Coordinates of all heavy atoms in Angstrom, one line a residue:
M219 N 0.7 -14.7 -25.6 CA 0.8 -13.7 -24.5 C 0.3 -14.3 -23.2 O -0.9 -14.7 -23.2 CB 0.1 -12.4 -24.9 CG 0.1 -11.3 -23.9 SD -0.7 -9.9 -24.5 CE 0.4 -8.6 -24.0
P220 N 1.1 -14.3 -22.1 CA 0.6 -14.9 -20.9 C -0.6 -14.1 -20.3 O -0.7 -12.9 -20.4 CB 1.8 -14.8 -20.0 CG 2.8 -14.0 -20.6 CD 2.4 -13.7 -22.0
R221 N -1.5 -14.9 -19.7 CA -2.7 -14.3 -19.1 C -2.3 -13.6 -17.8 O -1.5 -14.2 -17.0 CB -3.7 -15.4 -18.9 CG -5.0 -14.8 -18.3 CD -6.0 -16.0 -18.0 NE -7.2 -15.5 -17.4 CZ -7.4 -15.3 -16.1 NH1 -6.4 -15.5 -15.3 NH2 -8.5 -14.9 -15.7
V222 N -2.8 -12.4 -17.5 CA -2.5 -11.8 -16.3 C -3.5 -12.3 -15.2 O -4.7 -12.4 -15.5 CB -2.7 -10.2 -16.4 CG1 -2.6 -9.5 -15.1 CG2 -1.7 -9.7 -17.5
S223 N -3.0 -12.7 -14.1 CA -3.9 -13.2 -13.0 C -4.8 -12.1 -12.5 O -4.5 -11.0 -12.6 CB -3.0 -13.8 -11.9 OG -2.4 -12.8 -11.2
D224 N -5.9 -12.6 -11.9 CA -6.9 -11.7 -11.4 C -6.2 -10.8 -10.3 O -6.4 -9.6 -10.3 CB -8.1 -12.4 -10.7 CG -9.0 -12.9 -11.8 OD1 -9.0 -12.4 -12.9 OD2 -9.7 -13.9 -11.5
R225 N -5.4 -11.4 -9.4 CA -4.8 -10.5 -8.4 C -3.9 -9.5 -9.0 O -3.8 -8.3 -8.5 CB -4.0 -11.4 -7.4 CG -2.8 -12.1 -7.9 CD -2.1 -12.9 -6.9 NE -1.0 -13.5 -7.5 CZ -0.1 -14.1 -6.9 NH1 -0.1 -14.2 -5.6 NH2 0.9 -14.7 -7.6
Q226 N -3.1 -9.8 -10.1 CA -2.2 -8.8 -10.7 C -3.1 -7.7 -11.4 O -2.7 -6.6 -11.3 CB -1.3 -9.5 -11.7 CG -0.3 -10.4 -11.1 CD 0.4 -11.3 -12.1 OE1 -0.2 -11.7 -13.1 NE2 1.7 -11.5 -11.9
R227 N -4.1 -8.1 -12.0 CA -5.0 -7.2 -12.7 C -5.6 -6.2 -11.7 O -5.7 -5.0 -11.9 CB -6.1 -7.9 -13.4 CG -7.2 -7.1 -14.1 CD -8.2 -7.9 -14.9 NE -8.9 -8.9 -14.1 CZ -10.0 -8.6 -13.4 NH1 -10.5 -7.4 -13.5 NH2 -10.6 -9.5 -12.7
I228 N -6.1 -6.7 -10.6 CA -6.7 -5.9 -9.5 C -5.7 -5.0 -8.9 O -5.9 -3.8 -8.7 CB -7.4 -6.8 -8.5 CG1 -8.6 -7.5 -9.1 CG2 -7.9 -5.9 -7.3 CD1 -9.1 -8.7 -8.3
A229 N -4.5 -5.5 -8.6 CA -3.5 -4.7 -8.0 C -3.0 -3.6 -8.9 O -2.9 -2.4 -8.5 CB -2.2 -5.6 -7.6
Q230 N -2.9 -3.9 -10.2 CA -2.6 -2.8 -11.2 C -3.6 -1.8 -11.3 O -3.3 -0.6 -11.4 CB -2.2 -3.4 -12.5 CG -1.7 -2.4 -13.6 CD -0.4 -1.8 -13.0 OE1 0.6 -2.5 -12.7 NE2 -0.3 -0.5 -13.0
D231 N -4.9 -2.2 -11.3 CA -6.0 -1.2 -11.4 C -6.0 -0.3 -10.2 O -6.1 0.9 -10.4 CB -7.3 -1.9 -11.5 CG -8.5 -1.0 -11.8 OD1 -8.3 -0.2 -12.8 OD2 -9.4 -1.0 -11.1
I232 N -5.8 -0.8 -9.0 CA -5.8 0.0 -7.8 C -4.5 0.9 -7.8 O -4.6 2.1 -7.5 CB -5.9 -0.8 -6.5 CG1 -7.2 -1.5 -6.5 CG2 -5.6 0.0 -5.3 CD1 -7.4 -2.5 -5.4
R233 N -3.4 0.4 -8.3 CA -2.1 1.1 -8.4 C -2.4 2.4 -9.3 O -2.0 3.5 -9.1 CB -1.1 0.3 -9.0 CG 0.2 0.2 -8.3 CD 1.2 -0.6 -9.1 NE 1.4 -1.9 -8.4 CZ 1.1 -3.1 -8.9 NH1 0.7 -3.2 -10.1 NH2 1.3 -4.2 -8.2
D234 N -3.0 2.1 -10.5 CA -3.4 3.1 -11.4 C -4.3 4.2 -10.8 O -4.1 5.4 -11.1 CB -4.0 2.6 -12.7 CG -3.1 1.7 -13.5 OD1 -1.8 1.8 -13.3 OD2 -3.6 0.9 -14.4
K235 N -5.2 3.8 -10.1 CA -6.2 4.7 -9.4 C -5.4 5.6 -8.4 O -5.8 6.8 -8.2 CB -7.4 4.0 -8.8 CG -8.3 3.4 -9.9 CD -9.4 2.7 -9.3 CE -10.4 2.2 -10.4 NZ -11.5 1.4 -9.9
I236 N -4.5 5.0 -7.7 CA -3.7 5.8 -6.8 C -2.8 6.8 -7.5 O -2.8 8.0 -7.2 CB -2.8 4.9 -5.9 CG1 -3.7 4.0 -4.9 CG2 -1.8 5.7 -5.0 CD1 -3.0 2.9 -4.2
A237 N -2.2 6.3 -8.6 CA -1.3 7.2 -9.4 C -2.1 8.3 -10.0 O -1.5 9.5 -10.1 CB -0.6 6.4 -10.4
S238 N -3.3 8.1 -10.4 CA -4.1 9.1 -11.1 C -4.7 10.1 -10.1 O -5.2 11.1 -10.5 CB -5.2 8.5 -11.9 OG -6.2 8.0 -11.1
G239 N -4.7 9.8 -8.8 CA -5.3 10.6 -7.8 C -6.8 10.3 -7.5 O -7.4 10.9 -6.7
E240 N -7.3 9.3 -8.2 CA -8.7 8.8 -7.9 C -8.8 8.4 -6.4 O -9.8 8.6 -5.8 CB -9.1 7.7 -8.9 CG -10.5 7.3 -8.7 CD -11.0 6.3 -9.7 OE1 -10.4 6.2 -10.8 OE2 -12.0 5.6 -9.5
Y241 N -7.7 7.7 -6.0 CA -7.6 7.4 -4.6 C -6.4 8.2 -4.1 O -5.3 8.0 -4.5 CB -7.3 5.9 -4.4 CG -8.4 4.9 -4.7 CD1 -8.0 3.7 -5.2 CD2 -9.7 5.3 -4.6 CE1 -9.0 2.7 -5.5 CE2 -10.7 4.3 -5.0 CZ -10.3 3.1 -5.4 OH -11.3 2.2 -5.8
S242 N -6.7 9.1 -3.1 CA -5.6 10.0 -2.6 C -5.1 9.4 -1.3 O -5.7 8.6 -0.7 CB -6.2 11.4 -2.3 OG -6.7 11.9 -3.5
P243 N -3.9 9.9 -0.9 CA -3.3 9.5 0.4 C -4.4 9.7 1.5 O -5.0 10.8 1.6 CB -2.1 10.4 0.6 CG -1.7 10.7 -0.8 CD -3.0 10.8 -1.6
G244 N -4.5 8.7 2.3 CA -5.5 8.7 3.4 C -6.9 8.3 3.1 O -7.7 8.0 4.0
D245 N -7.2 8.1 1.8 CA -8.5 7.6 1.4 C -8.7 6.1 1.8 O -7.7 5.4 1.7 CB -8.7 7.7 -0.1 CG -9.0 9.1 -0.6 OD1 -9.2 10.0 0.2 OD2 -9.1 9.3 -1.8
K246 N -9.9 5.8 2.2 CA -10.2 4.4 2.4 C -10.6 3.8 1.1 O -11.4 4.3 0.3 CB -11.4 4.4 3.4 CG -11.8 3.0 3.8 CD -12.9 3.0 4.8 CE -13.3 1.5 5.2 NZ -14.4 1.5 6.1
L247 N -10.1 2.6 0.9 CA -10.5 1.8 -0.3 C -11.9 1.3 -0.1 O -12.3 1.1 1.0 CB -9.5 0.7 -0.6 CG -8.1 1.1 -1.0 CD1 -7.2 -0.1 -1.3 CD2 -8.0 2.1 -2.1
P248 N -12.6 0.9 -1.2 CA -13.9 0.2 -1.0 C -13.7 -1.1 -0.2 O -12.6 -1.6 -0.1 CB -14.3 -0.1 -2.5 CG -13.5 0.9 -3.3 CD -12.2 1.1 -2.6
S249 N -14.7 -1.5 0.4 CA -14.7 -2.7 1.3 C -14.4 -3.9 0.4 O -14.5 -3.9 -0.8 CB -16.0 -2.9 2.0 OG -17.0 -3.3 1.0
L250 N -14.0 -5.0 1.1 CA -13.7 -6.2 0.4 C -14.9 -6.7 -0.4 O -14.8 -7.0 -1.5 CB -13.3 -7.3 1.5 CG -12.9 -8.7 0.9 CD1 -11.7 -8.6 0.1 CD2 -12.7 -9.7 2.0
R251 N -16.1 -6.6 0.2 CA -17.3 -7.0 -0.5 C -17.5 -6.2 -1.8 O -17.9 -6.7 -2.8 CB -18.5 -6.9 0.4 CG -19.8 -7.3 -0.2 CD -20.9 -7.3 0.8 NE -20.7 -8.3 1.8 CZ -21.2 -8.4 3.0 NH1 -22.0 -7.4 3.4 NH2 -20.9 -9.4 3.8
E252 N -17.3 -4.9 -1.7 CA -17.4 -4.0 -2.8 C -16.4 -4.3 -3.9 O -16.8 -4.3 -5.1 CB -17.3 -2.5 -2.4 CG -18.5 -2.0 -1.5 CD -18.2 -0.7 -0.9 OE1 -17.1 -0.4 -0.5 OE2 -19.2 0.1 -0.8
L253 N -15.2 -4.6 -3.5 CA -14.1 -4.9 -4.5 C -14.4 -6.2 -5.2 O -14.2 -6.3 -6.4 CB -12.8 -4.9 -3.8 CG -12.2 -3.6 -3.4 CD1 -11.0 -3.8 -2.5 CD2 -11.9 -2.6 -4.5
I254 N -14.9 -7.2 -4.4 CA -15.3 -8.5 -5.0 C -16.4 -8.3 -6.1 O -16.3 -8.8 -7.2 CB -15.8 -9.4 -3.9 CG1 -14.6 -9.9 -3.0 CG2 -16.5 -10.6 -4.5 CD1 -15.0 -10.6 -1.7
A255 N -17.4 -7.5 -5.8 CA -18.5 -7.2 -6.7 C -18.0 -6.4 -7.9 O -18.3 -6.7 -9.1 CB -19.6 -6.5 -6.0
H256 N -17.1 -5.4 -7.7 CA -16.6 -4.6 -8.8 C -15.8 -5.4 -9.8 O -15.9 -5.3 -11.0 CB -15.8 -3.4 -8.2 CG -15.2 -2.6 -9.3 ND1 -15.9 -1.7 -10.0 CD2 -13.9 -2.5 -9.7 CE1 -15.1 -1.1 -10.9 NE2 -13.8 -1.6 -10.7
Y257 N -14.9 -6.2 -9.2 CA -14.0 -7.0 -10.1 C -14.6 -8.4 -10.5 O -13.9 -9.1 -11.3 CB -12.6 -7.2 -9.4 CG -11.9 -5.9 -9.3 CD1 -11.7 -5.3 -8.1 CD2 -11.4 -5.2 -10.4 CE1 -11.0 -4.1 -8.0 CE2 -10.7 -4.0 -10.3 CZ -10.6 -3.4 -9.1 OH -9.9 -2.2 -9.0
E258 N -15.7 -8.7 -10.0 CA -16.4 -10.0 -10.3 C -15.5 -11.2 -10.1 O -15.3 -12.0 -11.0 CB -17.0 -9.9 -11.7 CG -18.0 -8.8 -11.9 CD -18.5 -8.7 -13.3 OE1 -17.9 -9.3 -14.3 OE2 -19.6 -8.1 -13.5
V259 N -14.9 -11.3 -8.9 CA -14.0 -12.4 -8.5 C -14.4 -12.8 -7.1 O -15.2 -12.2 -6.4 CB -12.5 -12.0 -8.6 CG1 -12.1 -11.6 -10.0 CG2 -12.3 -10.8 -7.6
S260 N -13.8 -13.9 -6.6 CA -13.9 -14.3 -5.3 C -13.1 -13.5 -4.3 O -12.3 -12.6 -4.8 CB -13.5 -15.8 -5.1 OG -12.2 -15.9 -5.3
A261 N -13.1 -13.7 -3.1 CA -12.4 -12.9 -2.1 C -10.9 -13.1 -2.2 O -10.1 -12.1 -2.0 CB -12.8 -13.2 -0.7
E262 N -10.4 -14.3 -2.6 CA -9.0 -14.6 -2.6 C -8.1 -13.7 -3.5 O -7.1 -13.1 -3.1 CB -8.7 -16.0 -2.9 CG -7.3 -16.5 -2.8 CD -6.7 -16.1 -1.5 OE1 -7.3 -16.3 -0.4 OE2 -5.5 -15.7 -1.4
P263 N -8.5 -13.4 -4.8 CA -7.7 -12.5 -5.6 C -7.7 -11.1 -5.0 O -6.7 -10.4 -5.2 CB -8.4 -12.6 -7.0 CG -9.3 -13.8 -7.0 CD -9.6 -14.1 -5.5
V264 N -8.8 -10.7 -4.5 CA -8.8 -9.3 -3.9 C -7.9 -9.2 -2.7 O -7.1 -8.3 -2.6 CB -10.3 -8.9 -3.5 CG1 -10.3 -7.5 -2.8 CG2 -11.2 -8.8 -4.7
R265 N -8.0 -10.2 -1.8 CA -7.0 -10.2 -0.7 C -5.6 -10.2 -1.1 O -4.7 -9.5 -0.6 CB -7.4 -11.4 0.2 CG -8.6 -11.2 1.0 CD -8.7 -12.3 2.1 NE -10.0 -12.3 2.8 CZ -10.9 -13.1 2.6 NH1 -10.7 -14.2 1.9 NH2 -12.1 -13.0 3.3
S266 N -5.3 -11.1 -2.1 CA -3.9 -11.2 -2.6 C -3.4 -9.9 -3.2 O -2.3 -9.5 -3.0 CB -3.8 -12.3 -3.7 OG -4.1 -13.6 -3.1
A267 N -4.3 -9.2 -4.0 CA -4.0 -7.9 -4.6 C -3.7 -6.9 -3.5 O -2.7 -6.1 -3.6 CB -5.1 -7.4 -5.5
L268 N -4.5 -6.9 -2.4 CA -4.2 -5.9 -1.4 C -2.9 -6.2 -0.6 O -2.2 -5.3 -0.2 CB -5.4 -5.9 -0.4 CG -6.7 -5.4 -0.9 CD1 -7.9 -5.5 0.0 CD2 -6.6 -3.9 -1.4
L269 N -2.6 -7.5 -0.5 CA -1.3 -7.9 0.1 C -0.1 -7.4 -0.7 O 0.9 -6.9 -0.2 CB -1.3 -9.4 0.4 CG -2.1 -9.9 1.5 CD1 -2.1 -11.4 1.6 CD2 -1.7 -9.3 2.9
I270 N -0.3 -7.5 -2.0 CA 0.8 -7.1 -2.9 C 1.0 -5.5 -2.7 O 2.1 -5.1 -2.6 CB 0.4 -7.4 -4.4 CG1 0.5 -8.9 -4.7 CG2 1.3 -6.6 -5.4 CD1 -0.1 -9.3 -6.0
L271 N -0.1 -4.8 -2.7 CA -0.1 -3.4 -2.6 C 0.5 -2.9 -1.2 O 1.2 -1.9 -1.1 CB -1.5 -2.7 -2.8 CG -2.0 -2.9 -4.2 CD1 -3.4 -2.5 -4.3 CD2 -1.1 -2.2 -5.2
Q272 N 0.2 -3.8 -0.1 CA 0.7 -3.5 1.2 C 2.2 -3.7 1.2 O 2.9 -2.9 1.7 CB 0.1 -4.4 2.2 CG -1.3 -3.9 2.6 CD -1.9 -4.8 3.7 OE1 -1.3 -5.7 4.2 NE2 -3.2 -4.6 4.0
A273 N 2.7 -4.7 0.5 CA 4.1 -5.0 0.4 C 4.8 -3.9 -0.3 O 6.0 -3.6 0.0 CB 4.3 -6.4 -0.2
E274 N 4.2 -3.3 -1.3 CA 4.8 -2.2 -2.0 C 4.7 -0.9 -1.3 O 5.2 0.1 -1.7 CB 4.0 -2.1 -3.4 CG 4.3 -3.2 -4.3 CD 3.4 -3.2 -5.6 OE1 2.6 -2.2 -5.7 OE2 3.6 -4.1 -6.4
G275 N 4.0 -0.9 -0.1 CA 3.8 0.4 0.7 C 2.8 1.3 0.1 O 2.8 2.5 0.6
L276 N 1.9 0.9 -0.8 CA 0.9 1.8 -1.3 C -0.3 1.9 -0.5 O -1.0 2.9 -0.5 CB 0.5 1.3 -2.7 CG 1.6 1.5 -3.8 CD1 1.2 0.8 -5.1 CD2 2.0 2.9 -4.0
V277 N -0.6 0.8 0.2 CA -1.8 0.8 1.1 C -1.4 0.2 2.4 O -0.4 -0.5 2.5 CB -3.0 0.1 0.5 CG1 -3.5 0.7 -0.8 CG2 -2.7 -1.4 0.3
E278 N -2.3 0.5 3.4 CA -2.1 -0.2 4.7 C -3.5 -0.6 5.3 O -4.5 0.1 5.1 CB -1.4 0.7 5.7 CG -2.0 2.1 5.8 CD -1.1 3.1 6.6 OE1 0.1 2.9 6.7 OE2 -1.7 4.0 7.2
G279 N -3.5 -1.8 5.8 CA -4.8 -2.3 6.3 C -4.8 -2.1 7.8 O -3.8 -2.2 8.5
H280 N -6.0 -1.8 8.3 CA -6.3 -1.6 9.7 C -7.4 -2.5 10.1 O -8.5 -2.4 9.6 CB -6.7 -0.1 10.0 CG -5.6 0.8 9.7 ND1 -4.5 1.1 10.5 CD2 -5.4 1.6 8.6 CE1 -3.7 1.9 10.0 NE2 -4.2 2.3 8.8
Q281 N -7.1 -3.5 10.9 CA -8.0 -4.5 11.3 C -9.4 -3.9 11.8 O -9.4 -3.1 12.7 CB -7.4 -5.4 12.5 CG -8.3 -6.6 12.9 CD -8.3 -7.6 11.8 OE1 -7.3 -7.8 11.1 NE2 -9.4 -8.4 11.7
G282 N -10.4 -4.4 11.1 CA -11.8 -3.9 11.5 C -12.1 -2.5 11.0 O -13.2 -2.1 11.2
K283 N -11.2 -1.8 10.4 CA -11.4 -0.5 9.9 C -11.3 -0.3 8.4 O -11.9 0.6 7.9 CB -10.5 0.5 10.6 CG -10.7 0.6 12.1 CD -9.8 1.6 12.7 CE -10.0 1.7 14.2 NZ -9.1 2.6 14.9
G284 N -10.6 -1.1 7.7 CA -10.5 -1.1 6.3 C -9.0 -0.9 5.8 O -8.1 -1.0 6.6
T285 N -8.9 -0.7 4.5 CA -7.6 -0.5 3.9 C -7.5 0.9 3.4 O -8.5 1.4 2.7 CB -7.4 -1.5 2.7 OG1 -7.6 -2.8 3.2 CG2 -6.1 -1.4 2.1
Y286 N -6.4 1.6 3.6 CA -6.2 3.0 3.3 C -5.0 3.2 2.4 O -4.0 2.5 2.6 CB -6.1 3.8 4.6 CG -7.3 3.8 5.4 CD1 -7.6 2.8 6.3 CD2 -8.2 4.9 5.4 CE1 -8.8 2.8 7.1 CE2 -9.4 4.9 6.1 CZ -9.7 3.8 7.0 OH -10.8 3.8 7.7
V287 N -5.1 4.2 1.6 CA -3.9 4.6 0.8 C -2.9 5.3 1.7 O -3.3 6.1 2.5 CB -4.3 5.6 -0.3 CG1 -3.1 6.1 -1.1 CG2 -5.4 5.0 -1.2
T288 N -1.7 4.8 1.7 CA -0.6 5.4 2.6 C -0.3 6.8 2.1 O -0.3 7.1 0.9 CB 0.6 4.5 2.6 OG1 1.1 4.4 1.3 CG2 0.4 3.2 3.2
P289 N 0.1 7.6 3.1 CA 0.6 9.0 2.7 C 1.8 8.9 1.9 O 2.7 8.0 2.1 CB 0.9 9.6 4.1 CG 0.2 8.8 5.1 CD 0.1 7.4 4.5
R290 N 2.0 9.8 0.9 CA 3.2 9.8 0.1 C 4.3 10.4 0.9 O 4.1 11.4 1.5 CB 2.9 10.6 -1.2 CG 2.0 9.9 -2.2 CD 2.0 10.6 -3.5 NE 1.1 9.9 -4.4 CZ -0.2 10.0 -4.5 NH1 -0.8 10.9 -3.8 NH2 -0.9 9.3 -5.4
R291 N 5.5 9.8 0.7 CA 6.6 10.3 1.4 C 7.3 11.3 0.5 O 7.5 11.0 -0.7 CB 7.6 9.1 1.8 CG 6.9 8.3 2.8 CD 7.8 7.1 3.2 NE 7.3 6.4 4.3 CZ 6.3 5.5 4.2 NH1 5.7 5.3 3.1 NH2 5.9 4.8 5.3
A292 N 7.8 12.4 1.0 CA 8.5 13.4 0.2 C 9.8 12.8 -0.2 O 10.5 12.2 0.6 CB 8.7 14.7 1.0
S293 N 10.2 13.1 -1.5 CA 11.5 12.6 -1.9 C 12.6 13.6 -1.4 O 12.4 14.8 -1.4 CB 11.5 12.6 -3.5 OG 10.6 11.7 -3.9
P294 N 13.7 13.0 -0.9 CA 14.8 13.9 -0.4 C 15.4 14.7 -1.5 O 15.4 14.5 -2.6 CB 15.8 12.9 0.2 CG 15.4 11.6 -0.2 CD 14.1 11.6 -0.8

């Protein structure tokens, strides 16, 4: 079984927390430093995971302010 990379594991965990409502739309995610400590990795996998989630439209980063869960869009 292939090993899941740290960035994929972190992205999936945050995805799951958004889906479960632990992180709601508009919530600020923990800081980069807090995420590094929580997942026990260097900064690079955390940054990569956040970029994946941004590309998926689940979070948005605001320079100097943090990363936030994007508002859910209503389905037509």
Side-chain angles (χ1 to χ4, degrees):
M219 180 177 223
R221 182 180 179 276
V222 175
S223 70
D224 286 334
R225 69 179 177 168
Q226 291 170 322
R227 176 177 59 87
I228 294 165
Q230 188 58 53
D231 188 54
I232 294 172
R233 231 183 256 117
D234 292 344
K235 288 179 179 181
I236 292 170
S238 74
E240 185 173 338
Y241 295 149
S242 300
D245 282 355
K246 182 178 179 182
L247 296 184
S249 70
L250 182 65
R251 183 174 292 157
E252 291 169 324
L253 291 171
I254 290 167
H256 176 76
Y257 292 109
E258 299 178 342
V259 295
S260 66
E262 186 54 37
V264 174
R265 285 192 189 109
S266 294
L268 293 176
L269 287 174
I270 291 168
L271 296 170
Q272 283 181 6
E274 293 173 358
L276 293 174
V277 300
E278 52 191 25
H280 297 279
Q281 186 68 32
K283 294 183 179 177
T285 304
Y286 295 81
V287 178
T288 55
R290 288 190 178 87
R291 291 178 175 78
S293 298

